[in-house]
Amino acid sequence: MNRQRRAVSPQVDFHTIDGIVSHMAIQSQAALDLTFHALGDGTRRQMLAMLSEAGSLSAKDLHAPFPVAQPTISKHIKVLERANLVIRKVEGRIHRFTINAEQLKHAEQWINKHRALWEGAFDQLDEFLANTDE
Amino acid sequence: MNSMNDEPVAVIVKRQFPRQRQRVFDAFSSAENIARWLSPDKTIKMSVLSMSFELQGGFRFQFDEPDGERNVVGGVFRLIDTPEKIVFSWTWEDPHQFANIPTQVTVEFIDQVEQTEVVLTHEKLPTDAACEMHKQGWIGALNQLGDSY
């Protein structure tokens, strides 16, 4: 063993270690990471809502409601693509985007599962507090 | 247009309990108490494998479902402010569907007239400036989005 090797600090950030494990171990979990990052932005969520309503939109359509420069919109689209939330189709010079419902469902499952856990736990907590009255 | 551009995706659950704040807080602070209520429903038995309720103390909870499925979650208490607030990390272990994804849970205990409101925020990424209404609205929108497929 290399004795020069730095010891793991007790102050180590668990988020970082967990993050690394997540990315190295299982691909779908890394994908969820990207999905949550992508969803953590109001502009991108609005773009998804637009796509959900319209079915398919061009980059120009996606840009229309936002008072920002095209490169900013392109960046947002790339984040959504990387997260596998939107799919790009090139038709000649037009790039059209559609939503990937499957990936969105994965994030939705995370939310629903944890909401059910805590809602159910609070029901039981209510009962526990009532039954342990002095 | 979007004043709140960077809030992480989160689950927020609020509930009022007709008990004093310290009593509600105590339900979270010992292995004996927390095992009595922390599971999605009564058919899922939760066992505390370990729990050290102190700053940087760890915990592992095991959930046994009626069909034999077993899941374990682990975490570390990152903040304990008796009786107002608890923050802990929450990471499922393999083979849970969402294993190895680091998340964080913040539980706030708010003193009200003859009751305590508990606000629990479970998020993928830590946040300190959350806009609750906006998030709640988004979760609703997300559900509707899912429903349309």
Side-chain angles (χ1 to χ4, degrees), chain A residues 18-88:
Chain A
D18 285 353
I20 290 164
V21 169
S22 162
H23 279 278
M24 287 178 67
I26 299 166
Q27 198 54 42
S28 72
Q29 287 153 12
L32 191 69
D33 248 14
L34 290 173
T35 305
F36 272 74
H37 169 69
L39 291 174
D41 177 276
T43 301
R44 291 196 287 269
R45 290 201 300 268
Q46 199 170 328
M47 290 170 128
L48 287 173
M50 286 160 64
L51 286 167
S52 163
E53 206 165 303
S56 149
L57 291 171
S58 68
K60 200 179 162 195
D61 298 332
L62 282 170
H63 186 186
F66 303 103
V68 296
Q70 181 59 43
T72 307
I73 293 299
S74 299
K75 219 171 131 187
H76 282 311
I77 292 175
K78 282 202 179 101
V79 173
L80 289 170
E81 273 189 288
R82 218 158 59 92
N84 202 19
L85 283 167
V86 303
I87 297 158
R88 182 194 298 252

Side-chain angles (χ1 to χ4, degrees), chain A residues 33 45 65 99 109 127, chain B residues 1 7 42 97 124 145 149:
Chain A
D33 248 14
R45 290 201 300 268
I99 205 163
Q109 268 177 12
E127 214 173 300
Chain B
M1 182 172 299
E7 75 282 11
K42 281 185 177 160
Q97 180 189 9
K124 180 71 180 61
L145 212 53
Y149 285 90

Side-chain angles (χ1 to χ4, degrees), chain A residues 10-16 18-19 21-23 25-26 28-30 32-46 48-49 51-53 55 65-67 76 99-101 104-134, chain B residues 1-2 4-19 23-24 26-28 32-34 36-42 44 56 63 69 76 78 88-92 94 96-105 107 118-120 122-126 134 136 138-139 142-149:
Chain A
Q11 300 293 315
V12 73
D13 182 356
F14 280 82
H15 281 275
T16 307
D18 285 353
V21 169
S22 162
H23 279 278
I26 299 166
S28 72
Q29 287 153 12
L32 191 69
D33 248 14
L34 290 173
T35 305
F36 272 74
H37 169 69
L39 291 174
D41 177 276
T43 301
R44 291 196 287 269
R45 290 201 300 268
Q46 199 170 328
L48 287 173
L51 286 167
S52 163
E53 206 165 303
F66 303 103
H76 282 311
I99 205 163
N100 183 359
L104 196 56
K105 279 227 163 101
H106 196 44
E108 204 189 333
Q109 268 177 12
W110 184 93
I111 289 169
N112 290 342
K113 201 156 189 160
H114 289 93
R115 175 172 291 281
L117 164 67
W118 294 114
E119 294 273 11
F122 279 6
D123 289 345
Q124 294 189 75
L125 173 56
D126 198 32
E127 214 173 300
F128 167 71
L129 289 169
N131 292 338
T132 52
D133 269 337
E134 304 81 345
Chain B
M1 182 172 299
N2 281 292
M4 314 276 312
N5 260 8
D6 289 308
E7 75 282 11
V9 182
V11 167
I12 300 170
V13 179
K14 285 187 190 183
R15 191 73 67 90
Q16 284 91 26
F17 299 97
R19 296 291 180 282
R23 280 211 55 213
V24 181
D26 288 345
F28 286 76
E32 191 194 352
N33 285 345
I34 209 162
R36 299 272 298 276
W37 61 268
L38 207 177
S39 84
D41 63 72
K42 281 185 177 160
I44 300 173
Q56 300 304 330
F63 297 87
E69 187 181 326
V76 171
R78 300 189 175 282
F88 50 91
S89 58
W90 180 278
T91 306
W92 293 102
D94 287 319
H96 189 273
Q97 180 189 9
F98 296 115
N100 305 316
I101 296 172
T103 66
Q104 179 164 286
V105 180
V107 192
V118 176
V119 180
L120 183 143
H122 193 159
E123 61 207 321
K124 180 71 180 61
L125 295 166
H134 195 85
Q136 298 272 29
W138 165 241
I139 289 163
L142 193 65
N143 287 336
Q144 282 169 22
L145 212 53
D147 288 343
S148 64
Y149 285 90

Side-chain angles (χ1 to χ4, degrees), chain B residues 19-26 83-84 109-111 116:
Chain B
R19 296 291 180 282
Q20 288 189 338
R21 182 158 69 164
Q22 186 65 52
R23 280 211 55 213
V24 181
F25 186 92
D26 288 345
E84 290 178 11
F109 303 84
I110 300 153
D111 217 358
T116 301

